[in-house]
Amino acid sequence: MILFIATYLVVLELASGFLLDNHGTIAIPNVCLDAQPNCDVLNQTYNVCHDIHNGEHLCRRFCGLCNVVDGGWGFWGSWSTCDVTCGNGTRTRSRQCESPAPQNGGDDCSGKNTEQITCILNPCPVHGGWSGWSEWGLCSVTCGVGLSRRDRYCDSPYPSRDGNHCFGDGLNYNICTGPSCSAWSTWNSWSSCSNTCGHGLMQRSRNCTGVTGASPNMCLGEPIKYKACKTSCSEHYHARTSAFAANSLAQTSSDSLVFQSTFFNEGSDYNTSTGVFTCRIPGIYFFAITLTKSRESGVDFVRSFIQFTNGNLLMHVDPYDDLKTDYGEYIMSSSTTLKLNQTDTVRIRGGSAANHFNADTASFTGFLVRADDDLLR
């Protein structure tokens, strides 16, 4: 009876210090005990000491695992701020496996060390983006020079109320050209003869129609044509007339243009051999020349002069073409009025490439407009 009581007191004394651990088993502070009897049998049969996890919880002392410490979670930290400044984002918090930290092969803490929750802020602004360019539209004119247009739109995406609009232009223009709007009108009637007594010139003109500020004059050819004319007058006055109209172009070695044939040569003041007109009656004279230049590859800038005595008075040229691809023919016409004294000369010089003029369509015309001594009559 006495022995039983003593044993009971010992059990009570030991039991007064028992604790429950994380696994629901009885743990005695600073005491390493086995949770199961016959650990030698369990180890031989199931090799429990080979598995630290089983050995620690079943046969801690037998397996020599008294210094193994399983990990325990510490307290959760504070929630972080939202990871975005607008729209939907995330807040996180974390905890550490440090209460206690696992040691000597003890189990790590089970579960997650971080948690996340959704945070909702004001919607983010949407900035506008350009769409692609549309195809070019039709030309704004049906002839001449105009404009075509293409567009793009700020809808890829549309900007939100607080977003930025697209930067740049939403439309684009390109120069476009159509056929020429210019065309020649019909020729006007021939004018009356420029000289009421003797030989003179008649002229007619035409207009380049359809010319606007956006469509420059693109009519090709000459706006005025001339032809010789003759009116009757008294024999006395006829004797004081000087007029000629010559054609059949030839060229001498001195580059003078010689017109070898005349329709008429009143007063015989034009020399068909030398191509020189010599003033016989002092006064005011009118001269006109028409040349047709054959365009050829590599031949350009052909020019001619109306030469008064020893000086070049008037020059006309074939427009210079840098590419030298202007084929066909080009008509050049010039006219001038001169005050001549007796023995003054007028002739046409053709330059170094004058042999490219068309001989059959060239003409040289001149006539006396008014003699000096007519003022005394």
Side-chain angles (χ1 to χ4, degrees), residues 56-69:
E56 176 192 4
H57 296 292
L58 297 177
C59 300
R60 183 181 182 91
R61 182 175 182 180
F62 176 83
C63 294
L65 300 175
C66 292
N67 62 343
V68 173
V69 178

Side-chain angles (χ1 to χ4, degrees), residues 257-307:
L257 299 183
V258 179
F259 299 84
Q260 298 175 315
S261 177
T262 58
F263 299 110
F264 57 87
N265 192 5
E266 192 73 27
S268 300
D269 296 329
Y270 177 75
N271 190 322
T272 57
S273 299
T274 63
V276 177
F277 173 84
T278 303
C279 177
R280 176 175 50 86
I281 304 171
I284 298 174
Y285 285 80
F286 177 85
F287 296 95
I289 180 174
T290 299
L291 297 172
T292 302
K293 181 251 177 181
S294 299
R295 295 181 179 234
E296 300 174 50
S297 177
V299 178
D300 211 334
F301 202 69
V302 178
R303 56 189 175 177
S304 63
F305 305 89
I306 296 180
Q307 188 179 64

Side-chain angles (χ1 to χ4, degrees), residues 3-318:
L3 179 61
F4 171 77
I5 292 173
T7 303
Y8 178 73
L9 292 174
V10 173
V11 172
L12 289 177
E13 182 179 357
L14 293 176
S16 64
F18 285 7
L19 295 175
L20 293 177
D21 62 12
N22 290 340
H23 305 286
T25 58
I26 296 176
I28 301 174
N30 300 320
V31 177
C32 182
L33 299 175
D34 293 330
Q36 296 291 333
N38 303 319
C39 283
D40 55 342
V41 176
L42 290 174
N43 188 45
Q44 291 178 5
T45 305
Y46 300 104
N47 199 16
V48 293
C49 292
H50 182 71
D51 186 340
I52 294 179
H53 177 76
N54 290 329
E56 176 192 4
H57 296 292
L58 297 177
C59 300
R60 183 181 182 91
R61 182 175 182 180
F62 176 83
C63 294
L65 300 175
C66 292
N67 62 343
V68 173
V69 178
D70 293 333
W73 289 114
F75 293 106
W76 285 103
S78 301
W79 287 105
S80 67
T81 59
C82 198
D83 60 355
V84 294
T85 57
C86 62
N88 296 341
T90 303
R91 299 177 63 187
T92 60
R93 68 174 182 176
S94 61
R95 58 181 178 176
Q96 302 295 325
C97 186
E98 59 184 9
S99 298
Q103 298 179 20
N104 303 316
D107 292 339
D108 203 350
C109 298
S110 61
K112 297 180 178 179
N113 64 341
T114 58
E115 284 185 340
Q116 293 183 339
I117 57 174
T118 299
C119 49
I120 301 175
L121 304 180
N122 293 329
C124 294
V126 178
H127 301 303
W130 287 115
S131 67
W133 286 104
S134 65
E135 297 293 330
W136 286 106
L138 297 176
C139 195
S140 60
V141 296
T142 56
C143 65
V145 180
L147 292 174
S148 60
R149 168 180 167 174
R150 64 177 181 175
D151 301 272
R152 60 178 179 174
Y153 304 96
C154 188
D155 60 0
S156 299
Y158 286 105
S160 63
R161 183 174 61 182
D162 52 351
N164 295 330
H165 197 273
C166 300
F167 295 99
D169 296 326
L171 54 89
N172 189 215
Y173 291 98
N174 187 42
I175 296 175
C176 53
T177 57
S180 172
C181 298
S182 304
W184 286 115
S185 65
T186 57
W187 286 101
N188 297 327
S189 301
W190 287 103
S191 68
S192 59
C193 193
S194 60
N195 192 355
T196 58
C197 181
H199 296 279
L201 286 177
M202 299 172 64
Q203 73 176 34
R204 65 177 180 176
S205 62
R206 59 181 177 174
N207 297 318
C208 187
T209 62
V211 179
T212 64
S215 176
N217 187 348
M218 299 180 65
C219 297
L220 301 178
E222 297 296 325
I224 301 176
K225 279 187 176 181
Y226 297 94
K227 72 176 180 178
C229 57
K230 181 179 180 181
T231 57
S232 61
C233 55
S234 65
E235 284 296 320
H236 174 75
Y237 198 82
H238 180 73
R240 293 185 54 76
T241 298
S242 177
F244 70 96
N247 62 356
S248 298
L249 176 64
Q251 182 181 11
T252 66
S253 59
S254 62
D255 88 345
S256 293
L257 299 183
V258 179
F259 299 84
Q260 298 175 315
S261 177
T262 58
F263 299 110
F264 57 87
N265 192 5
E266 192 73 27
S268 300
D269 296 329
Y270 177 75
N271 190 322
T272 57
S273 299
T274 63
V276 177
F277 173 84
T278 303
C279 177
R280 176 175 50 86
I281 304 171
I284 298 174
Y285 285 80
F286 177 85
F287 296 95
I289 180 174
T290 299
L291 297 172
T292 302
K293 181 251 177 181
S294 299
R295 295 181 179 234
E296 300 174 50
S297 177
V299 178
D300 211 334
F301 202 69
V302 178
R303 56 189 175 177
S304 63
F305 305 89
I306 296 180
Q307 188 179 64
F308 171 40
T309 308
N310 294 320
N312 293 329
L313 179 66
L314 182 65
M315 177 181 75
H316 57 220
V317 300
D318 172 23

Side-chain angles (χ1 to χ4, degrees), residues 246-249 259 289-294 329-333 356-364:
N247 62 356
S248 298
L249 176 64
F259 299 84
I289 180 174
T290 299
L291 297 172
T292 302
K293 181 251 177 181
S294 299
E329 293 184 337
Y330 182 83
I331 299 175
M332 300 181 290
S333 297
H356 292 277
F357 292 129
N358 190 324
D360 297 329
T361 58
S363 64
F364 180 32

